[in-house]
């Protein structure tokens, strides 16, 4: 469902005699990959329209990529919400040329990135205190060039430094991803103790860790996996959060004096609906520029011409997924990951370690203790970025999530203690069936045969035969409680289940009002993270 | 004062045995604060009546200037006594979250008999409400009602209008603190009864360093206290009404003791956003927000290159803030060798406790009531800079007008060496740069004269110094040209 593109050239040769790719990678994060050591991006600030999940249409101000993206479905010159995701490689000297078609000055701030062009504010006409922008700006119909060095890998963003009370609410922001230039494959042993597969080999990393050993030995102990210090991942996703007050957006389009430039937030006082700027309160919440359910549609959907990015993570059990969170709104958005804790490995583009100099992110030697934290609700402050790792094997469910029969081999990355009849399992055969509940001793459910006698144990995996007249089925349900199984659903049921046999966990803002569209549930910052059985191929990264 | 002396005695006693391990001299500091009414004038001319504190030379002297936030209290570690005089019409109190009060040092403990102390409102509903039968009345056989109930209105012992009281805090340790009223806090804190307390330890050191959080020294420190003025829009009157205006009206001319008027703060939202009681552009005015003595005059917070600045971030407002500090500096005077470095404030402590490990964030979360110490390390900086410090939650307006509110700049140059202020070029000092300034600059060039305000270009290779008009010690035709460009709106700097 995600659009996959080649990022050839994102990984550069170290010795630098020539720029040839040493690794072939794919990105699940859509964006514009700036190739080489001196990539140039050409952005234009424009006005456009977003379509909300409930069919509303609101104006926004955003950036267009004048060169198109490295996608088969280029959005050349089309303004988008959020702005194009700029992807570069550590060490690159990046130039961003900004052109401005909006009626007021626009500028670009790059927090955490080492900006080479001057970062002095613009004061209009020498008038003391009449600040126009906090960094050099592109005047209406004007241009401005910014250059920064992508010194450290990490997740960053750009945003306007002009009339921010209006322009950040209007959408002038986007993500920047800096990938480490050295990505040497590493194997970590015993990452998943007592699983069918215990080791992990990573070829992609969020941060540098060439010198980080794959094992550490605690004092007096035996060597253990150093996975806690790793930022290796199999798949990556972007969660760029933002929000809108629709009354403000409508006032910007229809209510304000458009001759007045720059637009004054303080002029928004509407006596008819009794709303004013002090009462600004979001009522639409966006992940990668879309509300639920649109965020789960395909990327570059032609029906959403200004919202090219989707937000639908899919993974196989045992895969490590990297989520790059960026909060571009002005409210906190506590992003909650169902299914497991996420491990926050970096904040604001700095890996969570106790390195003496945290800005020295080369990490070619062990520089400090691992300070990553496991959370299931991320305190995501405005203007901050976070990188988190998430994995899922179903460990500890207490039953065989795959619905194996005795004698079946365990699935890849299956937790052996939960495997039916597995060599290390405490759960062996399903055991006797309770005639009242139709449950076996191991918790598996199997309805009795039509004549009322217990079904034979070897009949598992089960048939899910709940009464379709009294139950509703959501669109992500496979019909079976078991991963990798598909069972009949009521005839009218539309299934969005990937491969028809996947698990889904809702990933959403834990401020529950934020999972509505204009007050109506469901919507907003809500998406489904799919666990796809290993037997069903996912697009290669 | 009695407590302070005994505290000193304890330390003297300790010093006999562990003299070599004592890092500093404990002391007993006393402040004489007076709560009173004053007027805060905001950059757009709006005048708001606020409640603030003044620092009097002696208790009741009445010679201090009332301000919001109240005067910055700076004490060495030891014991702090605050003699509080209340010139307001309602009872107030004083507490410092994070500092223990000295037991029995205060006039009457909160645990006093209900009704016997003034910490409780005696206000009761007009109609007696039958008591919940599951909670039998304290006097069996009678029907109790709210008439005998009281509502607590203060976290600590109050000072009645027109009275004075003394508050003592022991075990004062280095750190950054808020002091604020503990009475009807939903009303009294937004009205302005708050201020900053800095407890200094070893000179130039925020906290005793630890092995894993060793960088606690600084060259300069600066309190950055965020707060708000609340208001709601009156659609019939067609104007914003501040909560201050409505509270003053509700209090009226009466002096309140046993009861204070109830007041709903529900509908009031921030209208003005303040840093140290000022909104931008007052935060970069000639006498800026710096409380540090002998600070050179710069438009904003003085943060010279090559030095470390400790920002003592405090939030006395009602909402969470995200103070963003953004910009980059160069580490070499030779442009061919210079590398740029983003400013990553290093958060070393929270709520006056050192972190086990510092962390670097460009927009830390600063919730209401929070204290946070952020080190801005410019030791490697050789370029001047003028870096924005603003609230990323967009409290950057004055009554909705951008720019304003919680925004200021870190002025990173030494004006005693060379002034890099972006407001240079205003030679006649009328607040604007226009053709008259250009003519004055041209006259200077022809007469081989010098005026630092006309000294713009760096000379040599670059027109400006990292985009700023730092000058070079002479005034040339190039300077006059840049002032001309500025006068016609081209904004070369």
């Amino acid at each position: 469902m995600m659009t996959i593109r080649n990022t050839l050239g994102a990984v550069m040769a170290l010795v630098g005699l020539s720029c040839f790719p040493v690794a072939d990678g794919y990105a699940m994060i859509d964006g514009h990959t700036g190739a080489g050591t001196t990539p140039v991006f050409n952005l234009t600030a424009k006005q456009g329209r977003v379509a909300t999940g409930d069919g509303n249409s609101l104006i926004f101000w955003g950036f267009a990529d004048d060169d198109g993206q490295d996608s088969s479905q280029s959005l050349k010159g089309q303004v988008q919400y959020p702005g194009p995701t700029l992807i570069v490689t550590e060490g690159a000297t990046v130039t961003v040329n900004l052109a401005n078609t909006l009626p007021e000055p626009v500028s670009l701030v790059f927090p955490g990135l080492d900006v080479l062009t001057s970062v002095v504010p613009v004061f209009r006409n020498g008038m003391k205190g009449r600040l126009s922008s906090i960094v050099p700006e592109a005047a209406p119909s004007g241009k401005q060039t910014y250059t920064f060095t992508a010194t450290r890998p990490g997740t960053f963003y750009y945003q306007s430094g002009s009339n921010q009370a209006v322009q950040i609410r209007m959408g002038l922001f986007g993500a920047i991803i800096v990938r480490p230039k050295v990505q040497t494959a590493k194997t970590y042993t015993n990452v998943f103790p007592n699983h069918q597969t215990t080791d992990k080999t990573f070829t992609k990393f969020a941060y540098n860790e060439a010198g980080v050993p794959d094992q550490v030995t605690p004092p007096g102990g035996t060597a253990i996996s150093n996975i806690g210090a790793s930022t290796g991942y199999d798949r990556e996703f972007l969660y760029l959060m933002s929000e809108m007050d629709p009354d403000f957006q409508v006032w910007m389009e229809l209510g304000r004096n458009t001759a007045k430039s720059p637009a004054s937030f303080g002029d928004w006082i509407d006596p008819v609906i009794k709303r004013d700027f002090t009462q600004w309160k979001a009522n639409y919440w966006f992940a990668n520029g879309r509300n639920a359910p649109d965020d789960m549609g395909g990327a570059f959907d032609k029906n959403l011409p200004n919202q090219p990015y989707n937000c639908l993570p899919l993974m196989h059990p045992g895969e490590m997924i990297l989520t790059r969170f960026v909060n571009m709104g002005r409210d906190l958005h506590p992003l909650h990951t169902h299914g497991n804790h996420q491990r926050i490995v970096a904040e604001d583009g700095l890996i969570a370690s106790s390195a003496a100099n945290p800005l020295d992110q080369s990490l070619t030697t062990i520089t400090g203790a691992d300070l990553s934290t496991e959370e299931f609700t991320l305190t995501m402050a405005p203007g901050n970025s976070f990188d988190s790792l998430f994995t899922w094997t179903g460990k500890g469910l207490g039953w065989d999530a795959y619905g194996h029969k005795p004698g079946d081999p365990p699935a890849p990355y299956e937790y052996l203690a939960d495997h039916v009849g597995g060599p290390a399992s405490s759960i062996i055969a399903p055991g006797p069936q309770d005639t009242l509940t139709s449950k076996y001793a191991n918790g598996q459910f199997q309805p009795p045969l039509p004549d009322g006698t217990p079904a034979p144990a070897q009949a598992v995996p089960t048939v899910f035969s709940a009464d379709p007249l009294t139950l509703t089925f959501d669109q992500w349900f496979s019909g079976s409680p078991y991963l990798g199984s598909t069972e009949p659903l009521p005839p009218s049921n539309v299934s969005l289940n990937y491969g028809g046999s996947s698990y889904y966990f809702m990933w959403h803002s834990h401020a529950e009002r934020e999972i509505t569209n204009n007050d109506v549930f469901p919507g907003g910052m809500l998406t489904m993270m799919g666990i796809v059985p290993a037997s069903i191929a996912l697009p290669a990264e | 004062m009695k407590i302070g002396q005994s505290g000193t005695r304890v330390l003297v006693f300790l010093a006999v045995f562990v003299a070599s391990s004592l890092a500093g001299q404990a002391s007993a500091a006393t402040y004489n604060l007076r709560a009173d009414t004053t007027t805060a004038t905001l950059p757009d001319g709006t005048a708001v009546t606020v409640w603030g504190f003044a620092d009097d030379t002696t208790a009741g002297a009445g010679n201090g200037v009332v301000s919001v936030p109240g005067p910055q209290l700076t004490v060495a570690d030891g014991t702090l006594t605050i003699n509080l005089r209340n010139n307001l019409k309602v009872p107030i109190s004083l507490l410092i979250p994070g500092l223990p009060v000295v037991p029995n040092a205060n006039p009457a403990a909160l645990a006093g008999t209900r009704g016997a102390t003034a910490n409780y409102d005696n206000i009761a509903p007009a109609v007696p409400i039958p008591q919940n039968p599951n909670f039998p009345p304290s006097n069996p056989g009678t029907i109790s009602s709210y008439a005998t109930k009281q509502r607590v209105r203060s976290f600590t012992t109050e000072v009645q209008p027109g009275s004075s009281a003394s508050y003592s805090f022991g075990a004062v340790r280095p750190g950054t603190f808020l002091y604020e009223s503990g009475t009807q806090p939903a009303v009294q804190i937004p009205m302005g009864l708050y201020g900053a307390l800095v407890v200094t330890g070893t000179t130039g050191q925020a906290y005793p360093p630890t092995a894993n959080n060793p960088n606690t020294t600084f060259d300069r420190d600066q309190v950055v206290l965020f707060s708000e003025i609340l208001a709601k829009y009156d659609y019939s009157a067609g104007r914003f009404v501040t909560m201050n205006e409505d509270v003053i009206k509700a209090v009226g001319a009466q002096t309140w003791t046993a009861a204070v008027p109830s007041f709903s703060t529900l509908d009031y939202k921030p209208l003005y956003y303040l840093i140290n009681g000022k909104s931008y552009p007052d935060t970069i005015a000639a006498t800026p927000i710096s409380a540090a003595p002998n600070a050179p005059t710069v438009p904003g917070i003085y943060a010279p290159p090559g030095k470390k600045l400790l920002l003592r971030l405090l939030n006395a407002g009602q909402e969470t803030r995200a103070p963003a500090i953004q910009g980059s500096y160069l580490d070499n005077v030779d442009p061919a060798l210079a590398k740029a470095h983003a400013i990553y404030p290093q958060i070393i402590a929270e709520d006056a406790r050192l972190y086990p490990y510092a962390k670097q964030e460009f927009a830390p979360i600063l919730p209401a009531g929070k204290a946070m110490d952020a080190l801005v390390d410019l030791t490697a900086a050789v370029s001047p800079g003028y870096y924005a410090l603003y609230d990323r939650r967009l409290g950057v307006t004055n009554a909705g007008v951008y720019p304003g509110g919680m925004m200021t700049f870190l002025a990173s140059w030494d004006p005693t060496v060379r002034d890099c202020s972006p407001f240079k070029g205003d030679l006649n000092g009328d607040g604007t740069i226009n053709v008259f300034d250009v003519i004055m600059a041209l006259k200077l060039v022809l007469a081989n004269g010098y005026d630092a305000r006309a000294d713009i270009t760096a000379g040599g290779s670059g027109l400006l110094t990292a985009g700023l008009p730092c000058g070079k010690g002479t005034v040339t035709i190039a300077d006059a040209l840049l002032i001309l460009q500025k006068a016609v709106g081209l904004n070369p700097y």
Side-chain angles (χ1 to χ4, degrees):
Chain A
M1 296 181 118
M2 293 287 226
T3 304
I4 312 304
R5 291 156 335 335
N6 199 320
T7 59
L8 274 174
V11 183
M12 286 303 149
L14 247 188
V15 268
L17 289 176
S18 61
C19 289
F20 60 91
V22 294
D24 187 358
Y26 292 90
M28 295 295 278
I29 294 180
D30 293 299
H32 184 161
T33 300
T37 53
T38 55
V40 178
F41 298 99
N42 296 297
L43 305 181
T44 300
K46 293 180 180 175
Q47 180 168 303
R49 303 197 71 86
V50 289
T52 63
D54 58 350
N56 203 343
S57 174
L58 300 168
I59 64 157
F60 76 100
W61 290 350
F63 296 104
D65 187 343
D66 296 334
D67 307 313
Q69 314 201 341
D70 51 343
S71 160
S72 58
Q73 303 167 81
S74 169
L75 273 190
K76 192 171 178 175
Q78 182 85 303
V79 64
Q80 60 175 80
Y81 184 77
T85 299
L86 311 182
I87 303 169
V88 297
T89 306
E90 176 195 356
T93 301
V94 183
T95 300
V96 180
N97 294 314
L98 171 66
N100 181 14
T101 67
L102 294 173
E104 60 183 73
V106 174
S107 57
L108 291 178
V109 184
F110 303 93
L113 290 162
D114 298 342
V115 179
L116 285 157
T117 42
S118 65
V119 287
V120 290
V122 181
F123 293 92
R124 306 290 282 175
N125 304 323
M127 293 286 282
K128 232 177 191 183
R130 291 283 294 277
L131 176 75
S132 180
S133 303
I134 61 172
V135 289
E137 65 186 22
S141 307
K143 291 183 188 321
Q144 186 62 252
T145 295
Y146 307 88
T147 304
F148 64 84
T149 311
T151 314
R152 294 167 295 276
T155 305
F156 301 92
Y157 62 88
Y158 57 95
Q159 63 181 11
S160 180
S162 312
N163 195 15
Q164 288 174 305
V166 168
Q167 293 192 4
I168 289 179
R169 285 180 168 94
M170 288 296 286
L172 287 166
F173 44 69
I176 297 175
I177 292 168
V178 182
R179 298 193 191 285
K181 63 184 169 193
V182 180
Q183 306 221 31
T184 311
K186 288 184 70 175
T187 298
Y188 291 89
T189 53
N190 211 26
V191 172
F192 298 114
N194 198 25
H195 283 66
Q196 173 67 2
T197 316
T198 58
D199 299 350
K200 284 294 293 182
T201 298
F202 294 117
T203 56
K204 288 173 289 194
F205 302 87
Y207 290 84
N208 283 324
E209 53 185 78
V212 178
D214 62 348
Q215 286 204 326
V216 287
T217 307
T222 51
I224 56 169
S225 165
N226 195 26
I227 185 75
S230 173
T231 62
Y233 64 89
D234 297 302
R235 299 176 189 278
E236 65 172 342
F237 302 95
L238 177 68
Y239 272 71
L240 190 149
M241 319 311 263
S242 58
E243 75 269 328
M244 283 183 181
D245 179 333
D247 290 342
F248 172 68
Q249 304 298 124
V250 168
W251 176 81
M252 279 294 291
E253 181 180 14
L254 302 171
R256 76 185 176 102
N257 177 1
T258 50
K260 197 166 175 180
S261 176
S264 177
F265 187 54
D267 288 349
W268 179 38
I269 297 170
D270 189 332
V272 177
I273 59 170
K274 285 198 162 46
R275 296 291 311 277
D276 69 76
F277 63 89
T278 64
Q279 313 277 330
W280 185 95
K281 192 176 184 185
N283 214 354
Y284 283 108
W285 294 269
F286 300 84
N288 296 344
R290 293 186 187 177
N291 315 118
D294 296 346
D295 55 350
M296 292 172 273
F300 296 96
D301 187 327
K302 294 284 185 272
N303 293 310
L304 297 165
N306 298 131
Q307 296 149 278
Y309 302 150
N310 65 353
C311 189
L312 183 65
L314 296 172
M315 64 178 284
H316 286 140
E319 284 186 333
M320 191 68 76
I321 68 173
L322 169 72
T323 312
R324 300 176 183 271
F325 294 100
V326 181
N327 185 357
M328 287 287 86
R330 50 92 55 200
D331 291 335
L332 282 85
H333 299 299
L335 206 286
H336 178 54
T337 53
H338 280 261
N340 206 346
H341 284 62
Q342 53 186 319
R343 189 160 59 84
I344 313 303
V345 294
E347 184 175 353
D348 288 359
L350 293 177
I351 193 168
S353 93
S354 67
N357 177 8
L359 287 172
D360 175 14
Q361 293 290 298
S362 55
L363 291 186
T364 48
T365 57
I366 313 165
T367 51
D370 166 32
L371 296 185
S372 65
T373 53
E374 289 208 340
E375 303 176 13
F376 58 65
T377 300
L378 173 56
T379 308
M380 199 191 304
N384 283 48
S385 72
F386 300 85
D387 296 305
S388 100
L389 293 172
F390 176 96
T391 189
W392 187 94
T393 64
K395 176 189 174 183
L397 285 174
W399 49 281
D400 189 323
Y402 296 88
H404 286 127
K405 295 189 292 289
D408 283 351
Y413 291 104
E414 185 177 355
Y415 181 54
L416 293 178
D418 288 347
H419 176 63
V420 169
S425 175
S426 58
I427 302 171
I428 43 175
Q433 188 179 28
D434 186 304
T435 51
L436 284 176
T437 65
S438 300
K439 273 187 179 173
Y440 287 94
N442 71 344
Q444 288 186 26
F445 171 80
Q446 174 76 4
L449 296 175
D451 63 2
T453 57
Q458 61 267 33
V460 293
T462 65
V463 173
F464 186 83
S465 58
D467 181 358
L469 295 177
T470 56
L471 290 176
T472 55
F473 299 87
D474 72 52
Q475 291 151 323
W476 289 273
F477 185 43
S478 67
S480 165
Y482 299 116
L483 184 61
S485 298
T486 307
E487 298 298 345
L489 287 164
S492 60
N493 202 78
V494 176
S495 179
L496 302 175
N497 189 298
Y498 192 89
S501 57
S502 298
Y503 275 180
Y504 281 87
F505 292 107
M506 190 199 291
W507 282 15
H508 64 104
S509 169
H510 229 266
E512 309 289 357
R513 210 177 83 81
E514 299 184 351
I515 52 173
T516 64
N517 290 332
N518 212 355
D519 273 350
V520 179
F521 174 86
M525 287 174 181
L526 179 161
T527 187
M528 292 289 176
M529 195 281 297
I531 308 281
V532 178
S535 56
I536 299 174
L538 279 173
E541 281 236 341
Chain B
M1 292 311 295
K2 185 187 169 196
I3 298 304
Q5 284 158 359
S6 73
T8 309
R9 266 206 301 278
V10 169
L11 278 166
V12 168
F13 172 75
L14 280 173
V16 172
F17 297 97
V18 287
S20 61
S21 70
L22 279 180
Q25 180 68 43
S27 59
T30 303
Y31 275 94
N32 301 297
L33 294 186
R34 170 171 46 90
D36 218 327
T37 301
T38 189
T39 302
T41 305
L42 294 150
D44 60 4
T46 302
V48 180
T49 304
V50 292
W51 294 345
F53 291 108
D55 182 12
D56 292 342
T57 50
T58 55
N63 54 359
V65 178
V66 183
S67 62
V68 173
Q72 180 180 321
L73 312 183
T74 306
V75 301
D77 51 353
T79 306
L80 168 65
T81 298
I82 296 174
N83 300 317
L84 180 61
R85 166 80 189 176
N86 181 9
N87 279 7
L88 299 172
K89 289 181 174 12
V90 292
I92 62 163
S93 60
L94 193 126
L95 54 85
I96 303 177
L99 285 190
V101 295
V102 174
N104 303 320
N106 299 318
L110 179 62
T113 313
R114 284 185 308 180
T117 71
N119 294 321
Y120 295 86
D121 263 340
N122 278 319
I123 274 186
V127 181
I129 299 168
Q131 185 154 351
N132 185 333
N134 296 315
F135 296 91
S138 53
N139 184 4
T142 62
I143 300 294
S144 182
S145 79
Y146 278 98
T148 61
K149 303 295 171 195
Q150 288 137 358
R151 181 177 58 195
V152 70
R153 64 163 187 247
S154 181
F155 293 138
T156 186
T157 308
E158 291 179 340
V159 188
Q160 293 299 314
S163 302
S164 298
S166 183
Y167 296 84
S168 286
F169 302 89
V172 175
R173 303 182 358 161
T176 307
F177 300 88
L178 273 179
Y179 67 89
E180 60 192 26
S181 176
T183 302
Q184 256 197 336
V187 172
Q188 295 194 357
I189 294 176
M191 285 297 285
L193 292 178
Y194 52 80
L197 165 68
V198 172
V199 183
T200 57
T202 305
T203 305
Q205 187 187 79
Y207 298 89
T210 61
N212 291 328
N213 192 355
N215 299 318
T216 63
T217 58
F218 57 86
D219 298 294
R220 305 192 61 82
D221 67 331
Q222 172 70 56
V223 165
V224 181
L225 190 156
F226 295 84
S227 60
E228 300 126 9
I229 288 183
L230 309 177
K232 65 180 174 187
Y233 196 74
D234 181 336
Y235 285 93
S236 57
R239 68 177 186 102
F240 278 102
V241 180
T242 62
M243 195 178 101
N244 301 56
E245 185 180 333
D246 285 347
V247 168
I248 298 286
K249 204 177 290 174
V251 170
Q254 186 182 340
T255 295
W256 303 81
T257 52
V260 295
S262 60
F263 185 88
S264 169
T265 60
L266 193 61
D267 292 331
Y268 299 91
K269 305 275 186 200
L271 183 66
Y272 294 97
Y273 301 89
L274 314 174
I275 292 178
N276 293 3
K278 295 178 175 179
S279 298
Y280 182 91
D282 290 350
T283 55
I284 62 164
T287 319
I289 59 177
S290 175
N294 306 319
T297 301
V298 289
I301 294 173
Y302 184 45
K307 304 283 187 190
K308 282 195 219 171
L309 172 72
L310 179 74
L311 296 174
R312 300 179 181 273
L313 305 173
L314 288 165
N315 186 357
Q318 306 302 299
E319 296 190 344
T320 298
R321 297 290 153 214
I325 305 165
Q326 285 162 9
S328 296
Y329 60 82
L330 301 176
D331 62 3
N332 200 302
V333 285
D334 183 350
L337 300 173
K339 283 184 178 162
H341 297 269
I343 292 174
Y344 266 96
Q346 188 171 13
I347 317 299
I348 61 168
E350 193 174 317
D351 291 341
R353 289 288 188 272
L354 198 66
Y355 279 159
Y357 298 95
K359 57 179 182 178
Q360 306 212 347
E361 291 173 88
F362 38 70
I365 313 178
L366 191 72
K370 177 66 69 185
M372 202 174 250
D373 294 293
L375 203 57
V376 178
D377 188 346
L378 296 171
T379 46
V382 300
S383 61
Y386 200 48
Y387 311 118
L389 189 172
Y390 64 97
D391 172 36
R392 181 54 182 72
R393 296 206 64 218
L394 307 180
V396 289
T397 54
N398 298 331
V401 177
Y402 180 94
M406 293 165 175
M407 177 158 53
T408 185
F409 287 85
L410 304 188
S412 188
W413 62 81
D414 185 349
T416 62
V417 178
R418 198 137 291 171
D419 186 7
C420 299
S421 165
F423 306 109
K424 279 167 76 174
D426 178 17
L427 272 70
N428 58 7
D430 66 352
T432 63
I433 296 173
N434 53 28
V435 69
F436 300 111
D437 300 304
V438 181
I439 292 166
M440 287 176 77
L442 286 169
K443 279 182 177 171
L444 275 176
V445 175
L446 291 172
N448 268 333
Y450 184 74
D451 183 331
R453 291 171 297 185
D455 186 9
I456 308 292
T457 64
S461 55
L463 273 178
L464 296 163
T465 313
L468 289 170
C470 297
K472 66 228 159 277
T474 57
V475 178
T476 63
I477 190 74
D479 296 318
L481 273 174
L482 254 65
I483 295 171
L484 174 62
Q485 286 183 28
K486 191 83 179 170
V488 299
L490 290 174
N491 290 313
Y493 62 90

